[in-house]
Structures are given as structure tokens and as C-alpha cells.
Amino acid sequence: MMKKSMIAFISAFGLSVFLMGCNQPGQQNEANEQQEQIDRFSFEEQQADKSVVVLLDGQPYTSYLYTDSLKKPVLFPLRTKGGHFVTRGWPVQPRANERTDHPHHIGLWFNYGDVNGLDFWNNSTTIPADKRMGYGSIRHSAVNETESNGDTGVLDVTKFWLGPQGDSLLREDTRYTFHVADDSSTSVELDIKLTALKDVSLKDNKEGVLGIRLARELEHPSDQPAKFTDANGIVTEVAQANNEGVTGHYVSSEGIEGDDVWGTRGKWVTLNGTIEGEDVSLVILDHSGNPGYPTYWHARGYGLFAANPLGQKELSGGKDVLDFKLDSGASTRFRYKVLIHSGSKLDAAAINDRFTEFNGQ
């Protein structure tokens, strides 16, 4: 009896060891996967500088800047994964051979040119004191959340749209979602909720709403006179621009190209160019749920890349009129996705795939 019991014990022990051994590889693989997941984005809030630095793999990717002097919060600068700037540095961090027009064009921003008669778009520190009552500003209120999860990072903030005497017209809650793809391309998705704190009218105006001010390399070549910075940041007026390395070219979802994109509607526009040997496609995707969809494009060869669904009368030559309004307490939502693809230039089929994915179709 004892011999049989011992055999049974040994057999049971051996079976349990075998089963434990069978489970170990799976458990080990799961543990390895957990260890291998790396949160690529991180955030450093610097309250003294009024900024939130966004890091990708420990390196600067962009920053959320909300200093009062900018008159609205912006993402600045935007870079490719390889570190090349796709946004102009002037006037925040000037670089050589940059245009010095439109000091309110900084990085990536969202605002509008006519909110209850106030101009939020063109406001800057250069506005003369006797004209400031005609301008509004957007004031950062709170960082609600930062989150890192693998290839994705989230920055959630609240802002208020203020009149020149400090009265609040709109509350803005914006969720920026940053993502890096397997091919090292990156994207910024904006989910913007505007809530009216009083009756608000956003009359048709060409100045709006989502804007990017481009690096010199992504402008269209031009032979027009302009003012540029030199290597020391000194502004010089030239009779004809130096177009060396200037390679930008707009293409819309409707097949319209170059400066002809301005004042047309489309689901997306891509700006193709080359920066120091790196091919780049900078794309803005519209969303079918946005007011005024499909958006009109306020895209200029000198370096302004903007989507404006609210300025329909101005951008269509009077063919369309929107005159968007929000009653007090009402909300509306805008969603956009900015793709920064580097290493090649995206074709229309590839962009349509990304548009379909973004729109959940």
C-alpha cells in the first residue's frame, strides 16, 4: 500500500510540476509584454514659464505655451520625429531666413476673427493701445489631465475666451492627443468643445479657425519682396525672396493644388515639402461632425495653413453664408487631426485611409 501511495504521490507531484512548467512561458510572455510597453510621451508642466513641455522618447516634441503675451495658448514648435521644425520660429524663437509678417501666427492655434465683433485671430502685443478694445484674447485656465499610454499621450486643458475688459464669452475645453506611429510619423488630434457663456455670434470672417504657421522650407516659392530675419535675428527687407530650400506645395482632397487651394472646400489638405533632405507631408484632416463641414481652406503660399469652416461668405465670394451662433449655455464641438509624416510624401490614397480612420467610417 505504501509503495502504491508513494507512486501516486510522485505522479501527482510530477503532473503539477509539468502543469506549472506549461503555464510559465505564457505568464513570462505576458510579463515581458508589460515590461516592454514603454510610454513614449511625457509631460513637464513649468508653471513659472507658463508652459507644458511635451516630450517624445525623452526629447522635446512640442510645448503648450500659454503666456499672456501670446494672446492665446499655442502648440509651439511642431517637429518631425527626426527633429526638423515644421513651424516658423519667429517671433518666439527666430531662425535665419524667416518671414516677419503676422506676429500673431505662432505654432498651431485655434481661434477666430469675429466673436461678438471682437477679433481674436489678429490680436498680438503689436496692437496699438487705442485699438485694443476691438480685440479678444484666450486665457489658459487649467491643466485637467496628462496621460501617457504606450505610443499615445494626452493633454487636457481648459481656456476662456475673454473680451478686452476681462468678461468671458466662451469656455473652451480641449483635449490634445499625441501619437507616434510605427513608421515614426506623428500626429496631434484636437477635440475642442466650445461652450457659450452668453449669446455668441461668430459672423463669417476669413480669419479662422485652426491655423499653423509654417517653417520657411514649407512655404511656396515666391519672387515677391518681403522682410526676413538673418542669422542674428535682425530683420531685413529684400526686393526678392531667396527661395533656396523652399519646397512647399499644397494638394487638397479635391485634387486642387498650390495657391488655388485657398477659398475651396475639402476633407483634407496636405502640404508636401523637403526639409534638409527629409521629405515631409504635413496634413490637416477635417471631421464630418464639425460645423460647416467640409471646411473651407485659408491656405496661403507665404506660410499660413488654416482650416476655416466658419468664414464661408468671405471665402466663397458670397456663394455660401453661415453666420454661426451659440445661445448662452449651448456647446459645439470641433475635431481636427494634424499629421506630421516624414521620410516620404503621402499620396491621396494614403491620406484618404487616414481620413476614414479619423472619422470612424
Side-chain angles (χ1 to χ4, degrees):
M1 290 290 292
M2 290 179 63
K3 187 174 182 180
K4 289 183 177 180
S5 297
M6 182 63 71
I7 292 172
F9 173 78
I10 293 171
S11 298
F13 179 78
L15 179 60
S16 66
V17 171
F18 174 75
L19 291 175
M20 289 175 64
C22 288
N23 288 336
Q24 282 178 345
Q27 293 172 345
Q28 188 65 43
N29 288 340
E30 183 177 347
N32 288 341
E33 288 177 2
Q34 292 175 349
Q35 291 176 354
E36 288 172 2
Q37 177 173 308
I38 300 173
D39 292 336
R40 307 280 298 277
F41 288 95
S42 57
F43 302 88
E44 296 179 356
E45 186 170 3
Q46 300 178 350
Q47 294 184 354
D49 296 332
K50 294 190 175 182
S51 69
V52 179
V53 179
V54 183
L55 304 172
L56 173 55
D57 296 333
Q59 300 299 314
Y61 175 64
T62 188
S63 290
Y64 171 76
L65 305 182
Y66 55 92
T67 57
D68 294 343
S69 62
L70 298 180
K71 305 303 181 183
K72 77 266 186 183
V74 301
L75 290 184
F76 173 90
L78 295 181
R79 297 172 170 89
T80 67
K81 179 61 174 61
H84 290 124
F85 294 109
V86 298
T87 49
R88 179 178 71 172
W90 190 87
V92 178
Q93 295 175 345
R95 302 190 296 270
N97 195 32
E98 289 187 320
R99 293 181 186 267
T100 59
D101 57 83
H102 300 83
H104 50 280
H105 290 175
I106 300 169
L108 167 65
W109 70 95
F110 179 88
N111 64 6
Y112 195 56
D114 190 336
V115 183
N116 283 6
L118 296 173
D119 185 350
F120 284 76
W121 181 271
N122 289 291
N123 199 3
S124 75
T125 56
T126 65
I127 301 299
D130 62 342
K131 295 184 177 180
R132 289 176 187 166
M133 294 302 293
Y135 294 82
S137 59
I138 303 175
R139 186 73 52 82
H140 168 80
S141 176
V143 174
N144 304 316
E145 178 188 10
T146 60
E147 178 185 347
S148 300
N149 184 10
D151 294 335
T152 299
V154 172
L155 172 64
D156 190 283
V157 298
T158 295
K159 321 168 192 179
F160 287 91
W161 295 43
L162 307 178
Q165 295 180 319
D167 54 314
S168 296
L169 282 70
L170 293 162
R171 171 181 171 137
E172 177 187 335
D173 295 290
T174 293
R175 190 173 182 86
Y176 300 97
T177 300
F178 307 95
H179 184 76
V180 56
D182 291 339
D183 64 358
S184 293
S185 297
T186 61
S187 62
V188 182
E189 184 176 332
L190 299 92
D191 192 339
I192 301 161
K193 180 183 178 182
L194 292 180
T195 302
L197 303 178
K198 58 179 67 175
D199 291 348
V200 172
S201 171
L202 292 92
K203 188 176 180 181
D204 286 28
N205 189 286
K206 72 179 179 68
E207 310 286 28
V209 294
L210 183 78
I212 302 174
R213 184 56 196 252
L214 304 168
R216 176 72 174 132
E217 294 90 338
L218 296 180
E219 295 178 16
H220 283 57
S222 170
D223 58 3
Q224 299 300 310
K227 293 181 179 180
F228 291 88
T229 57
D230 64 14
N232 297 314
I234 299 172
V235 178
T236 302
E237 187 167 357
V238 298
Q240 184 172 332
N242 177 6
N243 290 310
E244 182 178 356
V246 179
T247 60
H249 186 68
Y250 290 118
V251 181
S252 82
S253 60
E254 311 311 299
I256 301 169
E257 300 189 26
D259 289 324
D260 291 339
V261 167
W262 191 91
T264 65
R265 301 182 94 151
K267 301 179 296 183
W268 53 260
V269 166
T270 181
L271 178 66
N272 297 322
T274 303
I275 304 176
E276 295 182 5
E278 181 181 44
D279 286 338
V280 175
S281 287
L282 181 63
V283 186
I284 300 178
L285 302 177
D286 196 13
H287 194 281
S288 59
N290 288 341
Y293 172 86
T295 187
Y296 275 92
W297 294 94
H298 185 23
R300 297 292 200 185
Y302 68 76
L304 173 63
F305 187 9
N308 183 1
L310 303 183
Q312 296 189 10
K313 182 178 179 180
E314 301 301 318
L315 294 166
S316 71
K319 182 181 67 174
D320 297 324
V321 178
L322 182 62
D323 284 339
F324 190 74
K325 293 179 175 65
L326 282 174
D327 294 334
S328 180
S331 297
T332 191
R333 186 183 185 193
F334 294 86
R335 292 182 64 189
Y336 297 98
K337 191 166 189 175
V338 177
L339 306 175
I340 307 173
H341 178 83
S342 55
S344 63
K345 295 175 183 177
L346 293 175
D347 60 20
I351 300 173
N352 279 325
D353 287 344
R354 286 159 173 79
F355 172 84
T356 299
E357 179 184 14
F358 176 52
N359 279 264
Q361 300 172 0

